[in-house]
Amino acid sequence: MERDAAARTPRQPVAPVMLSVRIRTKRFAQRDVLGPLDFTLGAGEILAIVGPSGCGKSTLLRIVGGLDPDYDGTLTWSDGRIPRIGTVFQAPRLLPWRTVRQNLELVTPSGGDAGDALLHRLDLWPVRDAFASTLSVGMARRLAIARAFVIEPDLVLLDEPFVSLDETMAIQARQVLLNAWRQRPLSALLVTHDLVEAAALADRILLLSGSPARPIRTLVVPPDLRRAGGSAALDLANEIRQALGDHFPGDA
Amino acid sequence: MGRINWLRLLSPLLLLVLWETTARLLDSRMLPPASAVFRALGREILAGTLPRDLAITLGRVAAAFALSMLLGSALGLAMGRWRAVDQFFESWLTILLNVPAVVLIVLLYIWFGLNEPAAIAAVALNKLPATAVTIREGRRAIDRDLSEMAESFHMTRWRTLRHVVLPQLSPYLFAAARNGLSLIWKIVLVVELLGRSSGVGFRIQVYFQLFDVTSLLAYTLAFILVMQGFEWSVMQPLERRANRWRP
């Protein structure tokens, strides 16, 4: 079993590289929280970053998203310019005083039609004029996903986008994400501590150690299992878990 | 809800009845009955003096209010945003907050003369520090996650201020505005009483000298009614609108 998992551990993604991340170290309050860390993201690839809670995964996303410039390392974008990035934060971070539609219009002042289409697809159209403060947790998460996709990003950063959802709702939300991805394939960094979720969504899985986060291993999800979801993802997650043994403790 | 509205109506009516009865029982020039005050109010309105004085005073209130809210909010925002600005202006605010209103008024009249700019500046300076402190606390309470969201979606500074920051500040702005109005109109009357020859404050001083309590109360009543009308017709609807998203 371990040999199988290790066999799916190439150093480079199959698709052309969109982003190279090289972080020597990231310190916070006199403490190393990240690095050394070296990985690439392919164009159109979904790379899941999996690690124990609090290991620095969200910090890594903030660095890639340009929200935290205080680190020692480099981000190299393939065509030399920062692409359009849509972010789904761990908490939805909606503006409660704006309606569902207005939350989308805020990030795309001229993109009304694209926003309406997304609202239909994510089953938010009936509540389009409701204030975001009145949405259920599931609706708020779907709206946060719609907001990241409405700007037509080249890269999506997903920070535990399905956390705190019950399993049924999480499956629905994952499906929503995959549907959006199928409409317009793009690169994505998915931060999660859930191996099943990673196996259900990603092309590759980058496993990180506890804080300071360092790579343990990179795994390629077999093409026949990729985005298959359901029991196939669960089997793969179990296979990875067994292969890693003591290397990946905690709640993943 | 209906019961609460009835109580709201009943309360001032009861006060009027109490006033009228007490005044009639005492039968003194010191406390004229409500009916006499209302008659005096009608007389002053028909004569045109009260509307003119009221308009002048309201103009001063509006100018001082706008100035103190504008400068106070800008200062409060900057102090809440940047620690260095906060540290620099902290002592200025403490001084301004603790100087008695009447001292500021007298000093500005002495330094700049008994004129309109000095009068309005004196009122605005009295209110500015309280506004700045309130808005500073509001700025400090801004949700950093939402600001980060705005940054991640490359929202412009203006859009962020308008759609992300200001809605979070609105409870603080309303608190500052409401406190401001109640404080400013009282200070404006003092300013007029001390150094202007027009306005409600000036007229109150005249009637004080004449010992005409009826006209004095008529002017006070008119001003209270106008300010209460402003609260009901402008402040409360605006506040309801700003808070309509709250479930």
Side-chain angles (χ1 to χ4, degrees):
Chain A
M1 200 66 87
E2 185 167 4
R3 204 182 55 215
D4 286 351
R8 301 189 203 110
T9 313
R11 292 278 173 225
Q12 294 296 322
V14 181
V17 171
M18 178 200 209
L19 166 68
S20 298
V21 177
R22 182 166 292 177
I23 295 169
R24 280 181 285 279
T25 181
K26 160 71 189 168
R27 291 177 70 80
F28 186 73
Q30 311 282 315
R31 193 171 66 88
D32 283 352
V33 291
L34 211 62
L37 198 58
D38 196 343
F39 67 92
T40 56
L41 173 68
E45 181 190 34
I46 299 181
L47 173 64
I49 297 165
V50 183
S53 293
C55 78
K57 305 183 295 286
S58 298
T59 306
L60 175 60
L61 272 205
R62 286 168 47 78
I63 289 173
V64 174
L67 296 173
D68 187 349
D70 184 23
Y71 64 96
D72 178 16
T74 52
L75 299 181
T76 311
W77 301 97
S78 60
D79 56 359
R81 64 168 187 89
I82 299 170
R84 196 177 307 171
I85 300 174
T87 304
V88 180
F89 296 96
Q90 206 172 97
R93 299 195 190 183
L94 303 171
L95 299 184
W97 46 86
R98 291 178 73 85
T99 65
V100 166
R101 220 172 180 176
Q102 286 171 339
N103 265 280
L104 293 192
E105 285 166 0
L106 193 68
V107 295
T108 49
S110 57
D113 290 345
D116 287 354
L118 265 169
L119 291 181
H120 277 293
R121 215 156 59 230
L122 298 182
D123 204 19
L124 288 168
W125 185 250
V127 291
R128 63 192 177 281
D129 293 321
F131 284 111
S133 56
T134 63
L135 297 182
S136 66
V137 177
M139 283 175 174
R141 291 222 172 266
R142 294 208 300 272
L143 180 54
I145 292 171
R147 185 178 58 191
F149 278 86
V150 78
I151 63 168
E152 300 194 339
D154 305 304
L155 168 64
V156 199
L157 304 178
L158 304 150
D159 189 359
E160 310 237 25
F162 315 117
V163 77
S164 83
L165 292 181
D166 62 48
E167 192 47 36
T168 315
M169 204 178 275
I171 290 169
Q172 281 176 1
R174 279 177 209 142
Q175 205 52 49
V176 157
L177 184 70
L178 286 176
N179 286 343
W181 188 86
R182 284 189 190 107
Q183 294 275 328
R184 188 172 170 274
L186 38 80
S187 304
L189 278 181
L190 165 69
V191 155
T192 178
H193 65 273
D194 183 349
L195 269 174
V196 180
E197 186 172 289
L201 291 171
D203 299 294
R204 283 189 306 145
I205 302 171
L206 172 64
L207 295 165
L208 297 181
S209 65
S211 186
R214 293 188 177 118
I216 299 174
R217 195 169 294 183
T218 309
L219 304 159
V220 174
V221 179
D224 54 323
L225 287 184
R226 207 167 288 167
R227 310 200 224 298
S231 61
L234 194 60
D235 291 345
L236 179 65
N238 284 332
E239 190 185 328
I240 295 168
R241 210 173 270 134
Q242 282 172 21
L244 289 171
D246 292 341
H247 286 292
F248 197 69
D251 49 357
Chain B
M1 194 64 191
R3 189 165 161 231
I4 291 170
N5 280 337
W6 271 110
L7 282 174
R8 268 192 187 159
L9 196 68
L10 200 67
S11 163
L13 278 178
L14 196 68
L15 190 68
L16 278 178
V17 172
L18 202 68
W19 174 9
E20 181 75 23
T21 317
T22 314
R24 282 184 187 279
L25 284 173
L26 290 175
D27 192 23
S28 159
R29 272 187 70 194
M30 304 282 189
L31 182 65
S35 52
V37 171
F38 276 104
R39 271 198 303 278
L41 185 67
R43 236 184 0 256
E44 295 282 345
I45 291 172
L46 289 176
T49 42
L50 191 143
R52 197 172 49 248
D53 282 324
L54 205 56
I56 289 168
T57 299
L58 285 176
R60 287 175 185 141
V61 168
F65 176 75
L67 202 63
S68 67
M69 282 300 287
L70 210 69
L71 297 179
S73 298
L75 183 61
L77 275 175
M79 290 176 77
R81 174 71 180 79
W82 293 290
R83 201 166 158 67
V85 180
D86 185 38
Q87 283 176 338
F88 184 82
F89 284 108
E90 177 80 55
S91 52
W92 292 31
L93 283 192
T94 310
I95 292 168
L96 276 175
L97 278 168
N98 288 294
V99 173
V102 75
V103 173
L104 261 182
I105 297 164
V106 170
L107 280 177
L108 282 168
Y109 274 153
I110 291 170
W111 290 337
F112 302 106
L114 294 174
N115 53 46
E116 210 60 30
I120 288 168
V123 181
L125 265 180
N126 268 298
K127 172 57 192 153
L128 188 146
T131 303
V133 169
T134 307
I135 302 301
R136 176 184 66 183
E137 296 315 307
R139 181 62 186 82
R140 283 177 179 167
I142 291 288
D143 187 337
R144 292 179 70 169
D145 282 354
L146 291 183
S147 303
E148 200 176 79
M149 181 278 296
E151 190 187 342
S152 81
F153 283 98
H154 298 289
M155 283 167 60
T156 60
R157 258 173 204 223
W158 168 243
R159 279 180 80 77
T160 305
L161 180 70
R162 189 174 158 208
H163 298 294
V164 181
V165 175
L166 279 181
Q168 293 180 75
L169 276 183
S170 71
Y172 296 88
L173 284 168
F174 277 111
R178 185 161 283 136
N179 292 341
L181 270 181
S182 64
L183 185 72
I184 278 174
W185 82 259
K186 287 169 193 161
I187 300 173
V188 163
L189 295 202
V190 178
V191 163
E192 289 177 342
L193 194 141
L194 285 173
R196 306 306 300 142
S197 54
S198 59
V200 176
F202 164 73
R203 201 62 64 185
I204 283 173
Q205 188 213 26
V206 170
Y207 289 129
F208 169 61
Q209 311 249 333
L210 298 172
F211 223 71
D212 183 351
V213 182
T214 310
S215 300
L216 197 149
L217 283 175
Y219 265 82
T220 310
L221 193 65
F223 208 74
I224 288 172
L225 287 175
V226 168
M227 295 314 289
Q228 193 59 53
F230 183 77
E231 167 73 21
W232 282 338
S233 61
V234 179
M235 294 301 288
Q236 286 185 7
L238 271 178
E239 200 168 4
R240 269 199 298 276
R241 191 178 150 72
N243 286 326
R244 74 203 151 111
W245 59 273
R246 293 184 194 276

